[in-house]
C-alpha cells in the first residue's frame, strides 16, 4: 500500500461505514486503530446516541461547524530516533508546529493540576486541533500564539450548515448576523463566552490564541466529571465537541496516530489537508475586516515544498481562503450540556475564619467563611455552599439547623450563619462542601467549653455546726460569678479535703449521701441555677469532734473553702438519789392542865 495513500470520509455522499472501514485499514497497516466505545461502534448514529433528524447545536463546542475528515496516513509515525526508514509523508504528518505543540502540553499540565481525575492527554487536543483547523493552519501563529490571520469558519446560516444567529454582536467572529466558529479549536462565540480561558497571561480570553483555546478545549472535554482514560468517557467528550460519529472516528484516528509518536516542526511548517473533503454550498465571502475564513474552496490549495501552504485564490470580498473542512451533522449534546466553568471548582479555601471556640450555651464569636475559586484562581459567584455541623455537643446554627446552604457572593465568599454552642462541652466539626460530582470540601474543628465562673462564695456567714451522727441543720448555699456577673449553668464540684488548697481528700468526717444512701465525700454534676446559685445537698456529721473543710470549685478557677464543725453529743449527768424530806414536827395542841 503506497505510503502517501490517504483515506477521506465524505459526509452526505459518504456513509459512516466508510469511517469504520478507514479505521480498519489503519489497524491493518499496524497504525493504531481508533478504539470506539460500544455505543459508537459500527458507525451507527443511533448506537452512538446521535439523532440526525432532531439534532440541535446546543452543547456542541463548535456549533457543528465544518471540519477536516482526512485520516492520518497508513504509516505508523516513529518517535524521535526510533526509525530512519519511515516515508516522508508519515514523518511530515506526525509533525506538530512548535507553538501549537507547546500549547497542547501546557493545557494538559494545567488541567492535571486542577482536575487530575480527568486525565486529559495532550494528544487528544492535538487530534481535535488537527481535525478542526489543521493545527492552526500548519502553525501560522505569531510570537504570542495567536493565529495570524485569524481563523473563521463559514457563517452558520442554515445553508448547508447549522443555523445559529449571532450571539456576540460580531465581537469574536466579525459577523453580527450569524455566528461562525472561531480560532484553532473552532469555538462558536456562545460556547467561548462560557468556557474561554486566558492561558498565556495577557489578560485576554482570545479564541484565536492557541494557548487560550487549547486550555478551554481541555476544560470543556473534562466537563461532567469525565475520566478521559475511560474509552466511553472519551467518546462522550469528543461527541460533545461535535456531534457526529464520523467526527469521532476521525478524531480517534488522529489521537491514536499521535499517541504512537510525533515530533516538533517549526511554526508555519505543519502539513494541511490537500483538498476539501466534500463540496459544500457556496457561501457569501467574509467581511473585509474579518480576515480569511474557513469557507470551503472549490479546489485544493497547493502546498509549497517543505509543507508551508501557499496562498489560496482570492475570494469575493477579499482575503485568502484556507483548506476547508466539510460540514458535520447537526450536533446535540450526548449527556446534557456540560457544566460551565462558572460552576467548576479549582479550590475551596478558608476566607479568614479564626479559631472556633465558645462557652456552652453562648454564641461563637467567629462565623465559618469560605471562598470558592475556579481553576485560574478567580472568585466563583452564586455557587451554593453547604455547611454541616457534626458532633455531640448540641451546637447548631442560628435557627436550630444542623445544615444550611449559602450562595457565594461576587467575591466568591460564603459565610455560614452564627453558631450557638450546645450545653455539652467537647469538640465538633463544621464541614463546607461545594461543587457537583467531585465536590470540594473544607473542614473546621471547633470546641465547646463548659460554662465558667471565676469566683464562688457563700451567700451567708452562718456558722455550720452539727453534732456527730446528725445532719447539719443549715444548708450550704453558694453563688458563682464570672466577671462579677451571675454565672448560670456552671458546673461545681464539692469535696471534703484535709487542707485549704484541696491537695488531699479527706476520707473521714462529714459526708454526703449518694442515691443509694451510701456515704460519699466528693460530689460532681452540681450546677448553678439561673441566678448562679447552688444549694448543696444535706451534709451528715461523722467522726471525731473537730473542724473539717469542704472545698467547692468551678470551671474557670473559682473556689471557696467552707468550715464544718462537728461537736460531740451532749453528756447526761447521773441522777442523784432523792433526799427524803424531813417530816415536819406535828403540832400537838397544847393540853391545858
Amino acid at each position: 500500500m503506497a505510503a502517501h495513500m490517504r483515506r477521506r470520509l465524505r459526509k452526505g455522499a459518504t456513509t459512516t461505514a466508510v469511517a469504520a472501514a478507514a479505521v480498519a485499514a489503519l489497524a491493518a497497516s499496524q497504525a493504531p486503530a481508533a478504539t470506539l466505545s460500544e455505543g459508537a461502534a459500527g458507525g451507527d448514529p443511533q448506537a452512538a446516541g446521535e439523532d440526525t433528524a432532531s439534532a440541535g447545536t446546543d452543547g456542541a463546542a463548535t456549533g457543528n461547524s465544518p471540519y477536516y475528515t482526512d485520516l492520518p496516513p497508513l504509516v505508523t509515525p516513529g518517535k524521535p530516533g526510533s526509525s530512519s526508514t519511515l516515508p516522508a509523508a508519515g514523518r511530515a504528518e506526525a509533525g506538530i508546529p512548535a507553538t501549537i505543540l507547546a500549547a497542547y502540553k501546557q493545557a494538559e499540565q494545567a488541567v492535571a493540576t486542577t482536575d487530575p481525575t480527568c486525565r486529559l492527554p495532550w494528544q487528544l487536543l492535538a487530534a481535535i486541533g488537527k481535525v478542526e483547523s489543521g493545527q492552526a493552519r500548519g502553525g501560522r501563529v505569531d510570537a504570542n500564539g495567536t493565529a495570524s490571520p485569524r481563523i473563521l469558519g463559514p457563517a452558520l446560516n442554515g445553508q448547508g450548515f447549522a443555523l445559529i444567529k449571532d450571539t456576540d454582536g460580531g465581537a469574536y467572529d466579525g459577523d453580527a448576523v450569524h455566528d461562525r466558529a472561531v480560532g484553532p479549536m473552532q469555538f462558536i462565540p456562545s460556547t467561548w463566552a462560557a468556557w474561554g480561558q486566558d492561558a498565556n497571561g495577557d489578560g485576554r480570553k482570545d479564541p484565536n490564541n492557541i494557548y487560550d483555546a487549547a486550555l478551554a478545549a481541555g476544560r470543556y472535554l473534562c466537563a461532567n466529571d469525565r475520566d478521559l482514560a475511560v474509552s466511553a468517557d472519551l467518546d462522550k467528550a469528543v461527541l460533545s465537541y461535535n456531534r457526529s460519529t464520523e467526527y469521532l472516528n476521525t478524531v480517534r484516528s488522529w489521537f491514536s496516530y499521535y499517541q504512537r509518536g510525533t515530533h516538533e516542526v517549526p511554526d508555519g511548517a505543519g502539513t494541511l489537508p490537500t483538498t476539501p473533503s466534500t463540496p459544500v454550498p457556496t457561501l457569501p465571502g467574509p467581511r473585509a475586516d474579518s480576515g480569511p475564513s474557513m469557507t470551503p474552496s472549490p479546489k485544493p490549495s497547493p502546498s509549497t515544498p517543505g509543507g508551508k501552504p501557499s496562498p489560496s485564490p482570492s475570494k469575493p470580498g477579499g482575503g485568502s481562503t484556507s483548506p476547508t473542512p466539510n460540514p458535520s451533522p447537526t450536533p446535540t449534546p450526548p449527556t446534557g450540556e456540560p457544566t460551565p466553568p462558572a460552576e467548576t471548582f479549582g479550590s475551596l479555601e478558608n476566607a479568614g475564619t479564626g479559631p472556633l471556640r465558645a462557652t456552652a450555651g453562648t454564641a461563637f464569636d467567629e462565623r465559618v467563611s469560605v471562598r470558592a475559586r475556579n481553576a485560574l484562581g478567580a472568585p466563583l459567584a452564586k455557587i451554593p455552599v453547604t455547611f454541616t455541623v457534626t458532633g455531640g455537643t448540641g451546637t447548631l446554627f442560628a435557627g436550630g439547623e444542623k445544615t444550611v446552604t449559602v450562595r457565594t457572593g461576587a467575591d466568591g465568599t460564603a459565610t455560614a450563619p452564627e453558631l450557638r454552642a450546645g450545653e455539652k462541652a467537647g469538640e465538633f466539626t463544621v464541614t463546607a462542601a461545594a461543587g457537583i460530582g467531585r465536590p470540594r470540601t473544607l473542614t473546621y474543628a471547633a470546641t465547646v467549653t463548659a460554662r465558667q465562673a471565676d469566683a464562688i462564695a457563700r451567700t451567708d456567714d452562718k456558722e455550720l455546726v452539727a453534732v456527730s451522727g446528725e445532719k447539719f441543720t443549715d444548708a450550704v448555699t453558694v453563688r458563682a460569678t464570672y466577671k462579677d456577673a451571675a454565672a448560670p449553668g456552671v458546673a461545681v464540684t464539692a469535696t471534703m479535703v484535709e487542707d485549704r488548697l484541696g491537695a488531699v481528700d479527706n476520707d473521714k468526717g462529714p459526708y454526703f449521701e449518694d442515691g443509694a444512701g451510701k456515704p460519699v465525700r466528693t460530689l460532681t454534676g452540681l450546677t448553678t441555677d439561673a441566678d448562679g446559685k447552688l444549694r448543696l445537698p444535706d451534709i451528715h456529721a461523722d467522726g471525731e469532734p473537730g473542724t473539717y473543710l469542704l472545698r467547692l470549685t468551678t470551671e474557670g478557677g473559682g473556689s471557696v473553702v467552707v468550715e464544718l464543725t462537728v461537736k460531740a453529743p451532749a453528756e447526761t449527768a447521773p441522777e442523784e438519789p432523792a433526799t427524803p424530806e424531813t417530816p415536819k414536827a406535828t403540832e400537838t395542841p397544847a393540853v391545858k392542865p
Side-chain angles (χ1 to χ4, degrees):
M1 187 175 292
H4 296 283
M5 179 178 179
R6 309 288 296 275
R7 299 277 188 185
R8 299 185 178 86
L9 303 177
R10 300 180 181 278
K11 288 190 238 176
T14 304
T15 67
T16 54
V18 176
V23 173
L26 280 173
S29 68
Q30 297 185 348
T35 304
L36 302 181
S37 67
E38 183 178 350
D44 180 4
Q46 294 300 329
E50 182 175 8
D51 182 357
T52 57
S54 60
T57 60
D58 291 343
T62 65
N64 76 307
S65 62
Y67 57 87
Y68 294 119
T69 55
D70 291 55
L71 291 173
L74 302 181
V75 175
T76 302
K79 296 182 179 179
S82 64
S83 175
S84 60
T85 60
L86 289 175
R91 288 198 298 271
E93 286 293 346
I96 299 177
T99 299
I100 312 303
L101 182 60
Y104 295 150
K105 291 184 176 181
Q106 177 177 298
E108 177 191 64
Q109 293 173 356
V111 172
T113 300
T114 59
D115 191 3
T117 58
C118 175
R119 295 191 280 184
L120 169 74
W122 67 261
Q123 292 91 341
L124 180 60
L125 296 176
I128 291 175
K130 178 68 173 180
V131 174
E132 291 294 345
S133 68
Q135 309 297 20
R137 294 181 304 212
R140 295 175 64 186
V141 295
D142 64 18
N144 295 319
T146 302
S148 179
R150 59 181 173 170
I151 302 172
L152 297 174
L156 300 176
N157 56 10
Q159 299 179 30
F161 309 109
L163 174 61
I164 304 180
K165 295 184 179 180
D166 176 67
T167 60
D168 66 330
Y172 292 120
D173 58 10
D175 191 332
V177 179
H178 298 98
D179 272 347
R180 298 167 181 256
V182 183
M185 304 304 281
Q186 288 289 277
F187 280 96
I188 55 172
S190 59
T191 305
W192 184 259
W195 291 88
Q197 305 286 315
D198 175 20
N200 64 349
D202 64 356
R204 299 176 60 231
K205 297 177 181 179
D206 183 0
N208 272 291
N209 182 275
I210 185 58
Y211 290 100
D212 294 356
L215 182 57
R219 298 203 188 287
Y220 184 91
L221 293 167
C222 288
N224 294 341
D225 300 318
R226 297 189 186 104
D227 179 354
L228 299 183
V230 176
S231 181
D233 276 7
L234 189 145
D235 287 350
K236 290 176 183 178
V238 175
L239 286 170
S240 77
Y241 210 86
N242 199 314
R243 183 78 176 143
S244 161
T245 303
E246 292 178 8
Y247 182 83
L248 173 62
N249 289 341
T250 309
V251 169
R252 276 286 203 166
S253 298
W254 281 107
F255 176 49
S256 296
Y257 185 76
Y258 286 139
Q259 281 185 312
R260 293 297 296 269
T262 186
H263 57 275
E264 179 184 302
V265 298
D267 289 346
T271 61
L272 285 171
T274 58
T275 181
S277 298
T278 53
V280 293
T282 301
L283 300 176
R287 299 172 176 224
D289 62 346
S290 68
S293 80
M294 292 182 66
T295 305
S297 55
K299 295 189 295 184
S301 301
S303 297
T304 60
K308 292 187 179 180
S310 59
S312 301
S314 298
K315 294 177 53 179
S320 62
T321 61
S322 344
T324 325
N326 67 321
S328 63
T330 304
T332 53
T335 56
E337 190 165 348
T339 305
E343 298 181 6
T344 301
F345 280 86
S347 64
L348 193 65
E349 61 187 41
N350 186 357
T353 306
L356 295 172
R357 292 191 292 264
T359 302
T362 66
F364 282 75
D365 293 334
E366 290 285 330
R367 293 172 63 182
V368 179
S369 184
V370 299
R371 178 175 289 105
R373 297 185 184 275
N374 66 16
L376 298 179
L380 291 175
K382 299 182 180 179
I383 299 301
V385 180
T386 299
F387 298 90
T388 303
V389 174
T390 304
T393 64
T395 301
L396 300 170
F397 291 110
E401 301 293 334
K402 273 193 171 185
T403 300
V404 295
T405 299
V406 180
R407 287 187 176 271
T408 58
D411 61 352
T413 62
T415 301
E418 180 182 70
L419 281 166
R420 299 284 307 183
E423 288 298 334
K424 185 176 180 180
E427 296 182 350
F428 68 97
T429 61
V430 180
T431 301
I436 301 171
R438 293 190 297 271
R440 307 303 194 262
T441 60
L442 195 61
T443 300
Y444 297 81
T447 303
V448 176
T449 58
R451 293 174 183 262
Q452 297 182 354
D454 54 16
I456 185 170
R458 289 187 62 194
T459 58
D460 60 57
D461 56 0
K462 290 182 180 179
E463 184 179 5
L464 298 170
V465 180
V467 175
S468 180
E470 300 182 5
K471 293 190 295 187
F472 285 81
T473 55
D474 293 313
V476 176
T477 303
V478 294
R479 180 173 183 266
T481 57
Y482 182 70
K483 295 182 179 179
D484 297 327
V490 174
V492 178
T493 299
T495 305
M496 299 298 175
V497 295
E498 292 188 2
D499 61 286
R500 288 186 172 274
L501 295 178
V504 180
D505 292 353
N506 196 344
D507 60 356
K508 297 178 182 180
Y511 62 88
F512 302 100
E513 287 185 351
D514 63 13
K518 295 182 179 180
V520 293
R521 289 182 170 81
T522 297
L523 283 183
T524 58
L526 304 172
T527 313
T528 59
D529 63 16
D531 296 324
K533 293 182 179 180
L534 171 66
R535 179 189 173 104
L536 267 62
D538 291 340
I539 302 175
H540 300 263
D542 192 15
E544 297 293 329
T547 300
Y548 295 87
L549 301 178
L550 168 64
R551 190 170 189 263
L552 298 109
T553 58
T554 68
E555 292 288 342
S559 66
V560 64
V561 175
V562 179
E563 291 186 355
L564 302 172
T565 301
V566 176
K567 291 186 176 180
E571 293 184 3
T572 303
E575 292 186 2
E576 295 180 3
T579 303
E581 293 183 3
T582 304
K584 294 181 180 179
T586 301
E587 292 183 4
T588 303
V591 177
K592 292 183 180 180

